Amino acid sequence: MISLKDGTSTSEKTFLLGVLKEHRRIDGRSFNDARNVDISFGKDFGCCVASLGNTRVMCQVTCQVKAPKATRPNEGFLFINVDFPLMSSILLLDNDQLLQTRTELVRLLERCYKEARVVDMESLCIVGEEKVWELRVDISIMCDDGGMIDCASIAALSALCHFRRPDVTLEGEEVTIHSIKSRDPIKLSIHHMPILVSFSFYENGKFVLMDPDQREQKGSEGLMVVGANPFRELCTLHRTGSVPLIKDQVRRCAEMVALRARSLVGYIKKELEKDGALRSKREHAGFAAHLPRSLMVKPPVEVIDVERETRDIPMRDIVQRVSAKRTGNEVENMSIEVGKWDVPKGTKDESDFDESSASSDVEMVQQVTAEEKKTVEEISIMSDSEEDEVVALGAADLGFQRQKPKPKEKIGKPADSQALQELSKDKPSLKQVDGHAATFLKTLGNVDKELGKQINYLTQVSTGQPHEGSSYAAQKVLQMALHRLEHARSRVNESERIRASHMQQLINAGFISRPQSQQMQQATQPGTPAVQPQTPQQQPQM
Amino acid sequence: MNFEPGEIVMPGDVLVDLDITPSESRFIIGPGLRREDNKILASKSGILQKKEPHIFWVNSKERRYVPVRGDAIIGIIIQKGADTYRVDIGASEPASLSVLAFEGATKKTKPILQIGDLVYARLLVANKDMEPELVCMDSAGRKRGLGPLEEGFLITLPLHTARRLLSSDWPLLHLLGREISYEAAVGLNGRVWIKGRTIKDTLAVATALETSSECRSESEMRCLVERILACRAGVAQED
């Protein structure tokens, strides 16, 4: 967000890099850890304070009736405003910088909440072409310790979910707006809940930190803000600074944001429920109720374990990939992960999503219910160990890969026929034709890509290379079984040989008559030609 | 006296109005208090403190530094001029530091400082109408511990925490120093520079200092130091 050249000492920068090189972070987090989030709701609807570590942001949603735009007569407005006092951040030195940061914040939030269509705008219409609701989201930064945008997005989302607008009734031409006291106010209809998460980069993208605090932000070479919702849909991607990133890093970041969004949205929903329960019981809701009763001072913070082991396995993995050449195995692994992003989803209900997605996703959901930090760690480990994944993904991904190209071809047909239709008209609109052609080309490109992937996959199957979702696991089991069989056979041979030698001893002692034993020896000898030189003393070692 | 020592005062509170309650005794007022005509007012919110016989001041918790003459502070060079450096001291405006204000500096042998370097300096001029001015030596021209700070790490603490570090009844730095060898410079603008032998040591000290701002009593602080040292020792054994 803010990349400040001056006001940062070289000592801080070099020390930060030194710490990162030891795979630690200054505050003891691991590279993929985010700080703790806390949200509390005010007495009014749509008022929320969110904190992320020491960063605190307050958000208030209000509404008023306005005339709609002529181009969109049935849609309401969503207006986002960020109030950013100069005192809230130590980084800000002058007004220019403040304005720049403010604009950046507003634009990002608009992109994430307005352009990604979080709020159903048509439900804000009262009378078409005459009266619509305008929602105003006022965000004020109270304290900046890095991650303003993350915190602002959490506050804005919580406030939007918490907000209720007054009920409206229409009688002929007459519009009545009921006060909150006389009639229960109405919730906004929220389509999906995206969260913004920032990442900072160091040493040309060698180190990537999730949720950097102010010190880390100051020393960073570049920042990236990724917005995604719990359905693993990307909503925003914004980059500042001049760090060359590789695709895998962006993907990994997006992957992590989706996971974080899932846990955060769960948390927000839980807090909303708590607040709703308090309100329905007519108990005290609001900031005062959220404060701990006995202690007005901030309680002593847990001492951070300075020497905590870092668990940044996936990031280190990426770094290795930058330096080392990629193996076919890894590339295949990634392509499957990417494929998951564009799973076509009919419904946006979370429960439906869980059932429809691959088995690996179900596993992730279970982990998300556990502690937040743990989740990131466990998942990173899961996606890292390939053998586990073979078992977990297996058939589900195979089926999924085969299904995928189909809907895209369906989309493709209307696009090209539309383009032709447009051309066949008397007055073809060049713009529309271009648009349709572009869509068609894009679809073709997608089909091409999928086909390439499919071919790649088939080559791997036919050449017997190890890969995800193949018979690799079964082959391994088979191989193991063969080994075991071999082992068993040698054991059997061994015991047979010992039996024969004992028999020989008995014969020598004269307990059994000779002809019988000779027959036995002749029967066993052809089976065990290699084992014969061994002595009976070696038997216990087997 | 309208307020007793130990009470919370807010800006604008009148402590003594000599027109109403004439008093023979003298008052010596310190930070956070201000005299206006015959009144003594609080200019900061905090806890009123008194030292016998008549010294009063307000102990406030704040993060933004307001320059005071004679304070030793840590600044970051943000601009280089022909004969002055401009230094960010965390206040509302940057301070100036003359190139000649270093020990043994002449027009020919000037200290070489780069943008982003840290300096430990003392405020020579600090008032509301003028730009603050820094020096890196005492009146006799000796450096007395002031000057450029190299390497290490800089942390920013609330001002009261930084002040507390320097007070004799808060032996945090000494306690840490028994186990960890490190150098530190405490600026009254809340900035603390730390340099340990290894990155681990520096981090341990930085964490201790930052977390100590939440400590409310000395016993809590001792407990904190013990835990941090135990953490550090635990890892040393694992290594």
Side-chain angles (χ1 to χ4, degrees):
Chain A
M1 181 97 338
I2 309 161
S3 50
L4 196 71
K5 294 289 175 289
D6 42 16
T8 318
S9 64
T10 31
S11 302
E12 279 171 281
K13 279 184 198 162
T14 31
F15 184 77
L16 179 67
L17 272 182
V19 174
L20 292 180
K21 275 177 192 157
E22 289 193 5
H23 289 286
R24 301 163 195 277
R25 273 170 88 164
I26 294 169
D27 51 7
R29 284 184 283 166
S30 81
F31 282 10
N32 303 335
D33 272 352
R35 288 168 290 173
N36 285 341
V37 172
D38 181 56
I39 48 179
S40 50
F41 297 103
K43 241 176 176 173
D44 285 347
F45 284 117
C47 182
C48 171
V49 170
S51 66
L52 177 73
N54 287 329
T55 307
R56 278 168 80 79
V57 170
M58 184 169 168
C59 182
Q60 171 77 58
V61 180
T62 47
C63 66
Q64 67 185 85
V65 179
K66 265 201 166 180
K69 272 188 201 165
T71 47
R72 291 168 187 270
N74 294 320
E75 286 186 13
F77 296 101
L78 180 66
F79 178 76
I80 296 176
N81 177 45
V82 174
D83 180 28
F84 197 175
L86 199 60
M87 282 297 272
S88 64
S89 177
I90 306 172
L91 282 188
L92 296 168
L93 291 179
D94 52 34
N95 263 321
D96 289 351
Q97 219 169 21
L98 183 117
L99 275 177
Q100 205 185 332
T101 320
R102 216 194 72 125
T103 321
E104 208 177 342
L105 268 171
V106 173
R107 279 297 303 139
L108 266 171
L109 288 169
E110 273 184 350
R111 227 195 283 169
C112 187
Y113 291 105
K114 210 162 151 183
E115 286 164 32
R117 304 218 140 241
V118 167
V119 183
D120 182 12
M121 287 305 186
E122 276 162 18
S123 70
L124 295 176
C125 176
I126 304 170
V127 184
E129 298 184 23
E130 273 179 33
K131 288 183 178 68
V132 292
W133 286 112
E134 184 203 48
L135 291 180
R136 201 187 145 93
V137 182
D138 281 296
I139 294 165
S140 34
I141 312 280
M142 290 154 85
C143 180
D144 169 33
D145 185 30
M148 266 188 297
I149 185 71
D150 312 29
C151 199
S153 85
I154 295 165
L157 184 65
S158 317
L160 279 172
C161 293
H162 188 243
F163 181 68
R164 312 283 150 100
R165 66 173 171 82
D167 197 5
V168 176
T169 46
L170 269 172
E171 281 173 40
E173 290 284 291
E174 207 168 290
V175 180
T176 325
I177 298 174
H178 301 277
S179 74
I180 290 181
K181 276 176 190 162
S182 62
R183 258 197 205 198
D184 275 347
I186 296 167
K187 261 188 181 179
L188 299 176
S189 68
I190 307 278
H191 283 318
H192 60 123
M193 297 167 85
I195 290 284
L196 292 169
V197 178
S198 50
F199 294 88
S200 58
F201 299 91
Y202 307 85
E203 294 239 308
N204 281 326
K206 198 173 157 197
F207 302 111
V208 184
L209 302 189
M210 191 189 202
D211 184 22
D213 65 14
Q214 201 172 50
R215 288 180 291 205
E216 289 164 342
Q217 235 174 45
K218 276 199 294 184
S220 75
E221 289 173 3
L223 280 149
M224 182 167 76
V225 180
V226 184
N229 63 15
F231 313 118
R232 306 163 73 84
E233 289 166 327
L234 269 184
C235 301
T236 317
L237 194 79
H238 176 73
R239 244 182 43 152
T240 48
S242 54
V243 179
L245 291 179
I246 59 166
K247 263 192 279 174
D248 289 4
Q249 275 173 322
V250 180
R251 251 180 236 142
R252 182 75 77 180
C253 290
E255 210 48 70
M256 287 197 292
V257 175
L259 287 172
R260 180 150 168 80
R262 203 174 272 189
S263 62
L264 272 182
V265 165
Y267 173 65
I268 291 174
K269 279 182 181 163
K270 212 176 75 193
E271 288 295 314
L272 280 166
E273 263 170 36
K274 260 193 223 167
D275 185 71
L278 274 181
R279 273 168 206 276
S280 63
K281 275 191 250 163
R282 301 201 180 276
E283 275 179 35
H284 295 289
F287 296 129
H290 195 80
L291 284 172
R293 286 278 158 83
S294 55
L295 207 65
M296 288 295 284
V297 211
K298 207 174 162 192
V301 194
E302 269 287 291
V303 180
I304 307 158
D305 188 347
V306 196
E307 313 293 352
R308 208 172 70 189
E309 274 296 301
T310 47
R311 300 159 300 176
D312 44 305
I313 307 153
M315 278 305 148
R316 218 183 282 162
D317 191 23
I318 284 180
V319 176
Q320 280 166 2
R321 264 184 228 170
V322 181
S323 50
K325 282 191 177 177
R326 302 173 192 186
T327 63
N329 214 352
E330 277 172 335
V331 173
E332 177 65 22
N333 183 7
M334 281 319 286
S335 74
I336 284 178
E337 274 181 22
V338 183
K340 276 187 221 151
W341 275 97
D342 17 353
V343 183
K345 284 179 283 290
T347 50
K348 293 193 168 175
D349 198 351
E350 197 155 2
S351 59
D352 281 17
F353 169 70
D354 290 339
E355 280 162 19
S356 65
S357 59
S359 57
S360 65
D361 282 337
V362 179
E363 264 183 43
M364 286 180 190
V365 177
Q366 285 166 354
Q367 283 161 339
V368 168
T369 53
E371 225 180 312
E372 187 188 306
K373 279 181 186 171
K374 227 175 173 179
T375 315
V376 178
E377 181 197 341
E378 277 177 8
I379 283 160
S380 58
I381 290 168
M382 201 194 72
S383 60
D384 232 46
S385 62
E386 276 155 19
E387 267 174 78
D388 280 355
E389 232 174 37
V390 173
V391 185
L393 297 174
D397 263 37
L398 260 175
F400 153 75
Q401 277 203 341
R402 281 190 202 121
Q403 280 165 11
K404 215 167 49 179
K406 282 180 194 166
K408 290 205 168 153
E409 277 167 354
K410 271 183 200 165
I411 304 160
K413 272 174 195 166
D416 68 331
S417 63
Q418 269 173 348
L420 287 176
Q421 235 173 31
E422 193 66 37
L423 273 174
S424 65
K425 279 181 192 166
D426 289 340
K427 287 176 188 169
S429 150
L430 207 68
K431 214 173 173 182
Q432 274 198 330
V433 175
D434 273 355
H436 288 314
T439 335
F440 181 60
L441 280 176
K442 211 171 153 190
T443 325
L444 262 184
N446 274 334
V447 171
D448 190 49
K449 211 173 84 188
E450 293 300 330
L451 269 178
K453 220 182 267 175
Q454 209 58 262
I455 289 168
N456 200 5
Y457 163 72
L458 284 174
T459 17
Q460 276 178 332
V461 173
S462 55
T463 51
Q465 278 175 29
H467 60 93
E468 255 78 25
S470 75
S471 51
Y472 182 58
Q475 264 181 19
K476 254 197 156 170
V477 173
L478 197 73
Q479 229 167 19
M480 286 285 282
L482 272 172
H483 278 296
R484 244 176 269 146
L485 208 66
E486 199 68 49
H487 182 64
R489 187 194 288 174
S490 68
R491 286 291 290 267
V492 169
N493 283 340
E494 183 70 7
S495 54
E496 192 67 34
R497 205 180 50 75
I498 293 160
R499 201 183 65 86
S501 66
H502 275 287
M503 203 65 95
Q504 191 71 42
Q505 278 174 7
L506 286 174
I507 290 162
N508 291 347
F511 286 111
I512 304 168
S513 61
R514 200 160 271 264
Q516 263 185 328
S517 64
Q518 265 180 345
Q519 276 171 7
M520 293 285 283
Q521 265 188 333
Q522 276 163 3
T524 52
Q525 263 174 5
T528 59
V531 200
Q532 258 198 337
Q534 282 178 347
T535 54
Q537 276 81 27
Q538 281 171 327
Q539 192 224 347
Q541 285 173 355
M542 295 295 287
Chain B
M1 241 10 222
N2 295 337
F3 291 89
E4 289 302 312
E7 267 187 276
I8 291 174
V9 290
M10 305 295 270
D13 280 348
V14 180
L15 266 69
V16 181
D17 194 337
L18 294 175
D19 291 338
I20 301 168
T21 51
S23 166
E24 288 299 308
S25 61
R26 283 154 55 96
F27 287 100
I28 301 168
I29 55 173
L33 296 177
R34 179 164 57 96
R35 187 189 148 201
E36 210 167 82
D37 302 329
N38 276 334
K39 289 178 200 160
I40 295 175
L41 302 165
S43 57
K44 280 177 183 168
S45 56
I47 298 165
L48 185 69
Q49 305 277 333
K50 184 187 181 185
K51 197 175 180 184
E52 292 298 334
H54 299 297
I55 305 170
F56 293 92
W57 75 97
V58 176
N59 225 349
S60 55
K61 297 189 171 181
E62 49 195 347
R63 283 172 180 273
R64 287 296 175 123
Y65 180 63
V66 179
V68 175
R69 186 169 187 270
D71 276 2
I73 53 95
I74 293 176
I76 304 166
I77 309 273
I78 53 171
Q79 212 179 325
K80 280 200 291 186
D83 45 3
T84 52
Y85 295 112
R86 287 183 58 79
V87 186
D88 170 44
I89 55 168
S92 60
E93 69 175 325
S96 68
L97 169 64
S98 168
V99 229
L100 299 175
F102 290 86
E103 189 188 48
T106 60
K107 285 223 162 176
K108 280 180 185 169
T109 55
K110 287 183 242 176
I112 304 158
L113 290 176
Q114 301 299 327
I115 289 173
D117 280 358
L118 295 174
V119 278
Y120 194 38
R122 203 173 278 283
L123 275 161
L124 188 69
V125 175
N127 62 45
K128 61 183 177 183
D129 303 314
M130 283 168 73
E131 189 188 58
E133 199 183 322
L134 298 169
V135 283
C136 279
M137 55 185 188
D138 64 1
S139 54
R142 280 165 308 200
K143 62 178 173 190
R144 288 282 184 93
L146 302 174
L149 301 170
E150 274 149 22
E151 296 172 1
F153 184 49
L154 187 73
I155 57 171
T156 310
L157 300 175
L159 300 187
H160 63 277
T161 315
R163 275 200 302 269
R164 194 163 62 171
L165 282 179
L166 296 172
S167 95
S168 54
D169 52 2
W170 193 256
L172 176 59
L173 292 175
H174 293 282
L175 286 175
L176 287 169
R178 281 187 199 160
E179 296 277 335
I180 310 171
S181 59
Y182 66 95
E183 286 177 83
V186 181
L188 285 173
N189 56 349
R191 286 184 180 153
V192 181
W193 172 84
I194 307 155
K195 186 181 170 191
R197 278 219 183 113
T198 59
I199 283 178
K200 270 185 207 166
D201 285 355
T202 313
L203 265 185
V205 176
T207 314
L209 295 191
E210 275 178 354
T211 323
S212 77
S213 67
E214 308 288 347
C215 292
R216 280 164 294 166
S217 64
E218 200 183 316
S219 59
E220 267 182 31
M221 185 265 284
R222 282 179 193 274
C223 180
L224 168 86
V225 172
E226 263 170 39
R227 282 184 66 181
I228 284 190
L229 293 179
C231 272
R232 184 174 161 275
V235 169
Q237 278 167 14
E238 277 172 34
D239 289 346

